[in-house]
Amino acid sequence: MYILLSSVRLMVGMCSLVLVREAKMKESLVLSIFILIFLVLAFKIFSQGANFADVIQMTDIFEGSIIRSARRLDEFLNQVNKFPPEITSYIFSSF
């Protein structure tokens, strides 16, 4: 598992260089994109039953940021749950 994560970090570094140099993207935007990807992966791993300590070791993101993001996601999903059925069926029909 940790070998895979180190290769993912290497790939992220290489992709960041390409996006910044070749695609002329701002480095802050590239970092934000990859942080979002790592957060989604952390949530997925945690939702599949991994310990929080294991999730922390798998990512470079601070544990407070993961917890804060999880709370914001929970608040968002609770708000989506209160949407009228017509809106939610339209939103989720594209998935």
Side-chain angles (χ1 to χ4, degrees):
M1 176 67 86
Y2 295 106
I3 295 171
L4 175 66
L5 291 172
S6 62
S7 60
V8 167
R9 287 187 180 115
L10 178 64
M11 184 179 69
V12 165
M14 292 171 56
C15 289
S16 297
L17 286 174
V18 169
L19 290 173
V20 170
R21 290 184 184 168
E22 303 298 325
K24 307 292 187 213
M25 291 179 71
K26 291 184 179 180
E27 189 172 356
S28 60
L29 177 62
V30 172
L31 291 175
S32 297
I33 292 169
F34 284 117
I35 287 173
L36 180 62
I37 291 170
F38 279 124
L39 276 173
V40 169
L41 290 174
F43 291 153
K44 181 180 180 195
I45 291 168
F46 186 68
S47 70
Q48 293 174 338
N51 293 332
F52 188 71
D54 294 337
V55 173
I56 295 299
Q57 290 177 352
M58 293 180 195
T59 182
D60 294 335
I61 301 171
F62 295 116
E63 62 186 61
S65 297
I66 294 174
I67 292 169
R68 183 174 45 255
S69 298
R71 286 183 179 164
R72 291 181 71 193
L73 177 63
D74 183 53
E75 290 171 6
F76 173 73
L77 292 175
N78 285 332
Q79 291 175 0
V80 168
N81 193 30
K82 295 177 184 176
F83 285 174
E86 298 82 20
I87 295 175
T88 55
S89 63
Y90 175 76
I91 292 171
F92 294 117
S93 66
S94 62
F95 293 109

